[in-house]
Amino acid sequence: DVKVTQSSRYLVKRTGEKVFLECVQDMDHENMFWYRQDPGLGLRLIYFSYDVKMKEKGDIPEGYSVSREKKERFSLILESASTNQTSMYLCASSPRRGVGKPQHFGDGTRLSIL
Amino acid sequence: AQTVTQSQPEMSVQEAETVTLSCTYDTSESDYYLFWYKQPPSRQMILVIRQEAYKQQNATENRFSVNFQKAAKSFSLKISDSQLGDAAMYFCAYRSAGDFGNEKLTFGTGTRLTIIP
């Protein structure tokens, strides 16, 4: 079974801090994704990556950046956390593009910015 | 851009009964994939069922089946013999077919399903 592991289940940070959310997958998937989940808004794509060193903006990239130095790891960075970034963050991965395989998700990180 | 609409924020069903969750989508593409994901209180998103747009036959997975109406851009999920473990948030999602740049999922806002014992 595919395992997508997010480093923290709950995280509390302060406004202005630099925040790192880590995601690791163990199935050698090429694609990795970061979503934000808010009540009534569903999941919205922040950033995604098709390969090491590659990144693409999703629908709501403002205030975020990402890093993919190794194939199995995809990090989401909040450069200067703000209270409107309090949310649930979900990481996902999927096999190489174009084959219609579903994405596999981690358990999510519930981030609170105070 | 594609959009996915789930018009039922909440649904409830008696245990052992059947329930149908609605999903409509808007796209100009002819080839795509549709998914239903389930998110229980444990929070992990679990794939329930997947439909390829070019296949006319509706997908089924045990007690879960879909009614895919391509012309109407409708993709409803039917859960038969509902069980307590089916209680969760259900998300409908769309994905373009094809190569680079089309791996993104577009999600609906979700339907919270409650199972009444």
Side-chain angles (χ1 to χ4, degrees):
Chain A
D1 263 0
V2 176
K3 185 70 174 175
V4 179
T5 302
Q6 294 185 229
S7 54
S8 303
R9 194 161 173 85
Y10 298 93
L11 203 55
V12 180
K13 295 291 182 181
R14 296 216 172 266
T15 304
E17 279 192 69
K18 190 169 185 176
V19 181
F20 293 85
L21 302 184
E22 307 287 346
C23 175
V24 177
Q25 48 94 4
D26 66 357
M27 283 301 291
D28 201 36
H29 283 172
E30 284 77 11
N31 308 324
M32 296 190 76
F33 307 82
W34 275 107
Y35 294 90
R36 170 177 171 157
Q37 182 179 1
D38 299 288
L41 297 178
L43 279 76
R44 294 177 291 165
L45 182 64
I46 304 171
Y47 266 98
F48 59 106
S49 169
Y50 292 136
D51 203 348
V52 177
K53 306 281 189 184
M54 292 183 65
K55 60 183 179 182
E56 296 284 338
K57 291 181 180 179
D59 299 319
I60 52 165
E62 297 78 19
Y64 303 93
S65 63
V66 290
S67 172
R68 194 163 180 203
E69 297 295 321
K70 293 185 178 182
K71 190 175 185 179
E72 68 271 18
R73 185 181 297 271
F74 192 35
S75 303
L76 180 69
I77 304 159
L78 286 65
E79 297 289 344
S80 178
S82 63
T83 55
N84 62 12
Q85 293 178 309
T86 291
S87 187
M88 169 82 85
Y89 291 87
L90 290 164
C91 176
S93 73
S94 66
R96 65 179 175 88
R97 53 185 185 247
V99 294
K101 296 294 185 183
Q103 293 179 17
H104 297 266
F105 286 81
D107 288 346
T109 295
R110 191 173 295 282
L111 175 64
S112 295
I113 306 296
L114 304 179
Chain B
Q2 293 81 25
T3 59
V4 177
T5 302
Q6 294 179 250
S7 58
Q8 307 153 314
E10 295 182 351
M11 294 276 288
S12 61
V13 63
Q14 206 80 30
E15 193 176 1
E17 296 295 310
T18 296
V19 63
T20 299
L21 308 184
S22 301
C23 173
T24 59
Y25 58 95
D26 188 27
T27 184
S28 59
E29 299 172 333
S30 59
D31 197 14
Y32 47 87
Y33 303 96
L34 295 164
F35 304 87
W36 277 100
Y37 279 90
K38 166 186 176 180
Q39 188 182 42
S42 65
R43 294 181 355 199
Q44 185 174 30
M45 295 280 281
I46 302 165
L47 177 69
V48 176
I49 203 162
R50 170 180 176 270
Q51 175 78 43
E52 299 171 37
Y54 61 86
K55 288 187 176 179
Q56 292 188 342
Q57 186 173 7
N58 290 324
T60 62
E61 284 289 339
N62 301 314
R63 297 182 295 108
F64 297 88
S65 62
V66 298
N67 183 4
F68 173 49
Q69 302 287 330
K70 191 171 184 179
K73 296 179 182 174
S74 171
F75 182 61
S76 60
L77 175 70
K78 185 171 85 171
I79 306 174
S80 303
D81 185 27
S82 298
Q83 300 176 0
L84 294 177
D86 295 333
M89 196 76 166
Y90 286 81
F91 290 97
C92 178
Y94 171 102
R95 211 206 85 182
S96 299
D99 293 327
F100 187 82
N102 289 326
E103 298 287 328
K104 300 184 293 183
L105 284 174
T106 300
F107 285 86
T109 52
T111 297
R112 184 171 301 280
L113 179 65
T114 301
I115 310 297
I116 303 166

